[in-house]
Amino acid sequence: MDGEYQEAYIRNSRGVQLFTCRWLPFSSPKALVFLCHGYGMECSGFMKECGVRLANAGYAVFGIDYEGHGRSRGARCYIKKFENIVNDCNDFFKSICAEEEYRDKCRFLYGESMGGAVALLLHKKDPKFWNGAVLVAPMCKISEKVKPHPLVVNVLTRVEEIIPKWKIVPTKDVIDSAFKDPVKREVIRSNKLIYQDKPRLKTALEMLRTSMSLEDSLHEVKLPFFVLHGEADTVTDPEVSKCLYEKASSPDKTIKLYPGMWHALTSGEPDGNVEIVFADITVWLEKHTTDSNVMVVQPIQAFNDGIVKLNTTASSPETMNKRQKGSYFCGLKGRRLQHHSAM
């Protein structure tokens, strides 16, 4: 890779230590891309290829492991409030945007699966801040095929505060269902930072409520976006992405459905398919970074007056493939293709 990789730790408004990372091109970046990972996933390993590819294309890429995910602290994959994830991402991403060298750069959200919901909620939180979003098989609506009966939801809701962390929600093996390539599937299984147990009760209910809320507000999506989905996806229904595309108010929206591809478009498909997907993503980003009418957000006030760095390390191209140790702490307050065309 022609760039740097850095890792850092921050503390959120609740005092929880969160892991962050960034992939930076050596030259001034074309734009900033902020990663929102999926349920049970993490950034430094699982989303490494995404970070490296986009940095090689000239973008500065930033990721954060949600509380309880990856290398961040907290009960493993326990989501007490989905709003906490959104607020943590909002604080961290905007603190990056406030850095002097990035204030005049376009800002893009990139969300995969549950991360798509995070990205859409970040847009909803501040509709004019983001220049666009790339949404890969996003969780933004509950498919009618798997929507639980209201009675079941009612019963579970009655006990969620009594046994919130219990791993009692039955689910199929998502890894088997999401990753088509058997070799890549086993690589995912060997990643100890990825949560592979049953969902906790409150986590499942928070994801359900978030999806239902987003479903009711898809018409409020106004930013430019590119939604990508595998037609053979059995984890999140492709109809969900079609619904987002049809209902969103954005005049600049693109959807691409990939025949035969599964849920993990960027990490679980054969290499040839992954190349196709990333080529589409970089073409879309390039267009929306160079458009003469692109909306560039005015400089914002930094969230922190000072950042204390402790043994911060950065990787060179020679060491990019090795995980770097070192950190700094800072406190944070607080159809196929359619773009009016078809493939």
Side-chain angles (χ1 to χ4, degrees), residues 12-14 81-93 118 122 125 332-334:
N12 64 17
S13 60
R14 300 176 301 287
K81 292 182 179 180
F82 206 90
E83 182 183 11
N84 288 344
I85 293 178
V86 178
N87 288 339
D88 290 345
C89 288
N90 184 69
D91 289 349
F92 172 59
F93 294 168
V118 176
L122 285 167
K125 190 177 184 70
L332 292 182
K333 303 292 184 180

Side-chain angles (χ1 to χ4, degrees), residues 268-289:
E269 290 290 319
D271 290 345
N273 288 351
V274 172
E275 292 287 345
I276 292 171
V277 171
F278 274 112
D280 291 339
I281 291 172
T282 52
V283 166
W284 187 90
L285 285 171
E286 185 73 22
K287 178 183 183 300
H288 289 79
T289 299

Side-chain angles (χ1 to χ4, degrees), residues 44 49 58 60 75 98 118 126 183 263 307 342:
S44 61
E49 183 170 8
V118 176
D126 194 345
V183 175
H263 183 68
I307 296 178

Side-chain angles (χ1 to χ4, degrees), residues 62-326:
F62 305 86
I64 181 172
D65 289 354
Y66 312 142
E67 180 176 341
H69 288 70
R71 296 161 70 179
S72 291
R73 296 291 178 88
R76 289 297 84 189
C77 224
Y78 174 56
I79 302 176
K80 184 176 182 180
K81 292 182 179 180
F82 206 90
E83 182 183 11
N84 288 344
I85 293 178
V86 178
N87 288 339
D88 290 345
C89 288
N90 184 69
D91 289 349
F92 172 59
F93 294 168
K94 286 188 175 179
S95 74
I96 298 299
C97 296
E99 295 179 15
E100 186 173 356
E101 66 268 39
Y102 299 141
R103 290 180 180 176
D104 62 346
K105 301 295 182 180
C106 293
R107 304 96 186 264
F108 295 99
L109 295 166
Y110 177 105
E112 293 193 357
S113 196
M114 188 187 82
V118 176
L120 289 173
L121 289 171
L122 285 167
H123 162 57
K124 186 175 181 179
K125 190 177 184 70
D126 194 345
K128 296 183 179 181
F129 189 82
W130 304 101
N131 295 99
V134 175
L135 306 169
V136 182
M139 183 193 85
C140 56
K141 178 183 182 297
I142 295 295
S143 170
E144 297 301 324
K145 301 175 184 177
V146 298
K147 183 174 291 186
H149 193 282
L151 181 59
V152 174
V153 177
N154 183 53
V155 171
L156 294 177
T157 301
R158 289 176 181 271
V159 298
E160 69 174 309
E161 297 302 333
I162 302 173
I163 51 173
K165 296 181 181 180
W166 279 26
K167 304 171 185 177
I168 63 172
V169 180
T171 183
K172 59 184 178 180
D173 190 317
V174 176
I175 292 179
D176 274 348
S177 303
F179 299 86
K180 180 193 289 186
D181 188 297
V183 175
K184 294 181 180 180
R185 186 185 306 147
E186 292 311 308
V187 170
I188 296 300
R189 288 196 185 283
S190 66
N191 184 339
K192 302 305 180 182
L193 294 175
I194 292 177
Y195 183 81
Q196 300 178 43
D197 209 338
K198 290 181 180 179
R200 300 178 189 272
L201 175 56
K202 195 169 185 64
T203 297
L205 287 173
E206 280 296 297
M207 292 173 65
L208 175 63
R209 285 190 282 253
T210 297
S211 297
M212 295 175 71
S213 176
L214 278 171
E215 180 178 354
D216 292 336
S217 59
L218 291 180
H219 63 281
E220 297 177 9
V221 177
K222 299 179 180 178
L223 86 170
F225 69 83
F226 178 24
V227 60
L228 309 82
H229 217 125
E231 286 192 339
D233 188 345
T234 60
V235 178
T236 57
D237 194 333
E239 294 299 320
V240 168
S241 286
K242 291 180 183 178
C243 186
L244 168 63
Y245 176 80
E246 292 166 359
K247 292 188 176 183
S249 298
S250 172
D252 181 351
K253 52 186 178 180
T254 305
I255 184 171
K256 185 167 183 180
L257 304 178
Y258 297 85
M261 293 196 198
W262 292 15
H263 183 68
L265 290 176
T266 63
S267 54
E269 290 290 319
D271 290 345
N273 288 351
V274 172
E275 292 287 345
I276 292 171
V277 171
F278 274 112
D280 291 339
I281 291 172
T282 52
V283 166
W284 187 90
L285 285 171
E286 185 73 22
K287 178 183 183 300
H288 289 79
T289 299
T290 58
D291 270 352
S292 59
N293 62 347
V294 71
M295 183 274 292
V296 179
V297 181
Q298 295 300 312
I300 60 175
Q301 182 64 38
F303 284 85
N304 308 283
D305 294 329
I307 296 178
V308 179
K309 295 187 178 182
L310 302 176
N311 300 322
T312 305
T313 60
S315 65
S316 64
E318 291 76 19
T319 59
M320 183 59 68
N321 292 327
K322 299 179 181 179
R323 175 160 294 172
Q324 299 299 305
K325 295 185 178 180

